[in-house]
Amino acid sequence: MQRNMSSALYSALLTGLTLALAGCGGGSGSSPSFTPGPTSQNVPLVISDASSDDWAVIGVKVLSIALLPQGGGSAVTVWTAPTPAPYVNLEQLDQLGEILGNVNVANGTYTGAVLTVGANPGDLLLTVSADPESGFPVAPGTVIAPTLIQILGKQGSSGNFTVPVKVTFDSPLTVAAGQSNALDLEFDLAHPAFIVAHTPPAAAGVTLWAVNFQGPVRHHPVPDITRLVLRHTYGTVKSVDSTNTFFTISKDFPVLPATNPETAVASGISLDIYADATDGTIFYDLDARTTTVVKNFSGEATSLPGKFVRVAARYQVDGKLAAVRVWASSEFAKVWLSPEGHVLHVNTATDVVTVADEDGRPVPITVDSNTKFYFRTPENALADTQPIGAGTGFLTSHDLVRGFKVHVSAVDPLAVPMVADSIDIETAAYSGRISSANAMGFTYTHNFFTASDDYSVNLDYISSATANTDPSGKSVMGFLWWDFTYPTLAVEGSNAVQDFVQATNGGVNFGGTVGTLTAWGASGATWGDTANPSGWSLRNAVLVPVPVPLAVVTMPFAGTTFAVTAGSASTTNGNPLPVTVDVSTTAQSATLVYQIDRSNGVITITPVDITTASGLATMGAALVSGTPVKVYGVPQADGTLKAYVLAYFTGTLPSA
């Protein structure tokens, strides 16, 4: 059961396709397509998301982004993709921002957005992870053929198919001079209704993949862009400013699927990259194989124009992009050949870390005594440039584990084996079964398909005096937690730890072959908190939905509950036991309900809004005794299951 739960875990932190808008007076660089006026503002535009264990590539073409004015009116397009539209691999943006450029947004108030994605054959790329969860129906590393991908909700005609994805903001976005804004539109890659596998009889055993862009998108505020961790940005240097304080790049996108050697897709989007005049920018000349710390670019002013660069940057309060580290070369392949992706394996016996690259291929990286580890901390300029550890001991102490999102810089990117000069840890996420929770911390135990990746590690909560941010963007102090179903109801303050300990002692007993499902979670970790100055401490914990095996309704829906059984009789756990499932009809925290129909080899996924009387009646009429259902929920202390996602099936019924 552990492996079957894993795909939901990483979606618990900052999930989905995230559009972050930060309105500033001024900004870093500009798109050549507009001239800012007094009635509009420069708005840095990025996208980000979280990951799913099963996929190495979920490549989409975001064609345009538009904002919906308050009070009605036509959508205002604020960004249009260059031609040809590049792919964005959502798997690489695990809680990271991909800078698309600056956009011009007219002053005003906006209540929603429309993202338009390409829906033609080939506009969506799916590549299976090199090490998916146990039982995944396709072999590791498989590239899914476009003919096997069914994009739901597409509009238009052949060659011009698109899917408009509309999102309503939780609170309006106001763009005005001197006002800073931040907006997250999260697209949950691990959402149960996002990518659905099915094998219709007509397909002769071949698995088809239905991709549903409607539903897994929600609003999540970002209160401070200086804390936003940005993915490394690629570009071609156009010029160095006469003051030598910044250089301007034309942003490049790598080709997907990757070519050999990797080539760049020029976008025409301009960005200004500033040197850190206070703490210094680490500058790597990959051609000369030198490393220097610079506080301006005077020494590079003549040699840098025309070169390719990879930049680890952070937003400053005024919206400018300050470079933490810069890698430069006359060859794009040199700045590209440094693996970026999720950690697939950590082998402490051989000191080899395996990282999934842009195409999902496993890349083995040797760690030696000289390898430096960094943790991206954009809100703290000094900490962002200082290594947190070095050498192989960092691996044996479980300070780097499977699931971390990293970017590796090699001593020699062409060497075999590749040796890591430095490893940027961009996000540190621990997850798994929760146990031994007490006033100081708790233990995460995660067992993977590859046993050498397993870990069981006890981690402290951050100090109660450490500043933190809750899911609504509000500043709080100390550790906090929430049920994934209800991020607006985060438990924080002096009783947060005590309540967490009590909540994680519960379980749901299905009896039979399923047995008891206990609390699972995912956490974002930070390095060097006062609770643990030389290690990781947990800022939060999210009790994530546990997927229940295919179940059958045994007590029809009434009020807000129904009962199910799952599994079969077992000599160990006896016969299956009925479990009560609670659903919520409260707006903003309602259970996500989907009706899944399959007829003549075609699958249809229909969201059911149970915050409305008609939607609740539709679900109630379907949840009668014998209806097959799939439930993702959080075990409660009273033995019930709080449903986050509920899918019920009609037509040709599922067998597993």
Side-chain angles (χ1 to χ4, degrees):
M1 177 56 69
Q2 279 185 322
R3 288 297 302 163
N4 292 334
M5 297 176 188
S6 62
S7 65
L9 292 176
Y10 297 109
S11 65
L13 300 176
L14 275 180
T15 59
L17 171 66
T18 305
L19 163 67
L21 301 179
C24 312
S28 58
S30 61
S31 169
S33 61
F34 70 87
T35 302
T39 60
S40 61
Q41 309 301 321
N42 285 348
V43 178
L45 176 62
V46 303
I47 60 175
S48 66
D49 64 73
S51 72
S52 166
D53 273 1
D54 294 327
W55 299 102
V57 176
I58 302 178
V60 299
K61 289 185 176 181
V62 181
L63 303 179
S64 65
I65 299 171
L67 297 179
L68 301 175
Q70 188 176 51
S74 301
V76 179
T77 300
V78 297
W79 186 82
T80 302
T83 302
Y87 290 99
V88 176
N89 183 6
L90 302 180
E91 272 294 336
Q92 290 287 15
L93 301 181
D94 185 358
Q95 305 175 62
L96 306 178
E98 171 78 72
I99 305 172
L100 295 183
N102 280 353
V103 297
N104 181 230
V105 179
N107 289 356
T109 301
Y110 302 90
T111 57
V114 178
L115 286 72
T116 301
V117 298
N120 300 294
D123 281 352
L124 179 66
L125 305 178
L126 294 178
T127 302
V128 180
S129 167
D131 191 17
E133 61 186 337
S134 179
F136 195 74
V138 180
T142 299
V143 177
I144 306 298
T147 55
L148 303 181
I149 300 173
Q150 301 170 332
I151 302 177
L152 306 182
K154 62 184 180 183
Q155 302 177 1
S157 57
S158 179
N160 294 289
F161 285 122
T162 62
V163 176
V165 183
K166 183 179 179 180
V167 180
T168 300
F169 300 161
D170 286 347
S171 57
L173 167 71
T174 300
V175 177
Q179 180 169 342
S180 180
N181 306 281
L183 171 67
D184 263 347
L185 305 179
E186 300 176 342
F187 208 127
D188 184 356
L189 301 189
H191 191 289
F194 181 34
I195 302 177
V196 177
H198 65 115
T199 309
V206 177
T207 299
L208 304 182
W209 301 90
V211 180
N212 170 40
F213 286 102
Q214 306 296 336
V217 184
R218 62 175 182 263
H219 175 212
H220 182 283
V222 173
D224 183 0
I225 62 168
T226 65
R227 292 179 175 269
L228 182 63
V229 181
L230 299 173
R231 185 188 182 193
H232 289 193
T233 297
Y234 298 88
T236 303
V237 178
K238 298 198 300 185
S239 62
V240 177
D241 179 67
S242 59
T243 65
N244 297 318
T245 56
F246 69 90
F247 60 81
T248 301
I249 66 170
S250 176
K251 182 173 173 59
D252 295 326
F253 290 89
V255 172
L256 277 179
T259 58
N260 186 17
E262 181 59 72
T263 55
V265 178
S267 70
I269 297 170
S270 294
L271 294 171
D272 293 341
I273 308 296
Y274 285 77
D276 187 331
T278 302
D279 299 301
T281 295
I282 304 176
F283 190 91
Y284 303 88
D285 187 325
L286 299 180
D287 296 330
R289 296 191 179 186
T290 59
T291 302
T292 55
V293 177
V294 301
K295 295 187 177 181
N296 60 62
F297 296 117
S298 58
E300 293 73 34
T302 58
S303 61
L304 201 51
K307 285 190 174 181
F308 297 101
V309 292
R310 172 164 57 92
V311 182
R314 64 175 183 273
Y315 275 119
Q316 300 183 100
V317 175
D318 60 1
K320 293 179 179 178
L321 285 169
V324 179
R325 285 180 287 284
V326 176
W327 294 260
S329 173
S330 57
E331 301 175 46
F332 183 75
K334 283 189 177 181
V335 300
W336 171 254
L337 287 176
S338 293
E340 174 191 11
H342 289 91
V343 174
L344 285 175
H345 306 297
V346 178
N347 191 325
T348 57
T350 60
D351 297 325
V352 171
V353 174
T354 303
V355 177
D357 69 6
E358 183 77 28
D359 271 353
R361 294 181 297 242
V363 180
I365 309 292
T366 298
V367 172
D368 65 14
S369 59
N370 296 316
T371 302
K372 295 181 175 63
F373 296 86
Y374 295 84
F375 178 53
R376 292 303 316 277
T377 315
E379 71 275 15
N380 186 328
L382 183 60
D384 210 18
T385 60
Q386 298 299 312
I388 61 174
T392 58
F394 203 82
L395 307 182
T396 56
S397 60
H398 293 305
D399 286 327
L400 184 77
V401 299
R402 175 169 175 155
F404 278 29
K405 173 66 170 59
V406 301
H407 202 142
V408 178
S409 293
V411 174
D412 180 355
L414 301 179
V416 179
M418 193 180 293
V419 178
D421 177 65
S422 64
I423 296 179
D424 264 12
I425 300 172
E426 296 172 317
T427 57
Y430 287 93
S431 62
R433 182 171 57 84
I434 295 171
S435 63
S436 304
N438 56 39
M440 300 298 295
F442 61 92
T443 298
Y444 266 133
T445 301
H446 205 146
N447 295 330
F448 294 93
F449 183 66
T450 302
S452 59
D453 296 326
D454 296 351
Y455 61 80
S456 184
V457 56
N458 185 262
L459 298 159
D460 292 334
Y461 312 112
I462 59 171
S463 166
S464 60
T466 298
N468 206 354
T469 304
D470 75 3
S472 69
K474 183 178 67 175
S475 295
V476 298
M477 302 299 291
F479 175 82
L480 69 152
W481 66 277
W482 62 93
D483 287 345
F484 186 46
T485 318
Y486 304 105
T488 59
L489 303 178
V491 181
E492 56 199 44
S494 59
N495 292 327
V497 169
Q498 177 183 340
D499 291 344
F500 177 80
V501 172
Q502 181 178 356
T504 55
N505 286 333
V508 178
N509 185 13
F510 281 89
T513 55
V514 176
T516 300
L517 304 181
T518 57
W520 273 64
S523 292
T526 188
W527 185 272
D529 184 71
T530 55
N532 185 8
S534 58
W536 297 110
S537 300
L538 301 180
R539 287 189 171 275
N540 52 44
V542 189
L543 300 186
V544 302
V546 175
V548 178
L550 186 67
V552 175
V553 174
T554 55
M555 183 182 74
F557 180 77
T560 59
T561 66
F562 63 101
V564 300
T565 58
S568 57
S570 166
T571 56
T572 304
N573 297 314
N575 293 318
L577 301 174
V579 168
T580 298
V581 179
D582 292 315
V583 299
S584 170
T585 60
T586 304
Q588 306 302 325
S589 60
T591 301
L592 303 177
V593 179
Y594 296 88
Q595 177 176 305
I596 300 181
D597 307 290
R598 196 176 80 179
S599 178
N600 299 322
V602 177
I603 189 169
T604 303
I605 303 173
T606 305
V608 180
D609 183 1
I610 62 172
T611 65
T612 67
S614 60
L616 188 62
T618 298
M619 181 189 72
L623 295 182
V624 297
S625 295
T627 299
V629 296
K630 183 72 176 177
V631 183
Y632 297 74
V634 177
Q636 301 297 291
D638 61 2
T640 64
L641 191 71
K642 185 184 292 185
Y644 169 62
V645 171
L646 165 65
Y648 61 86
F649 299 87
T650 67
T652 306
L653 302 181
S655 59

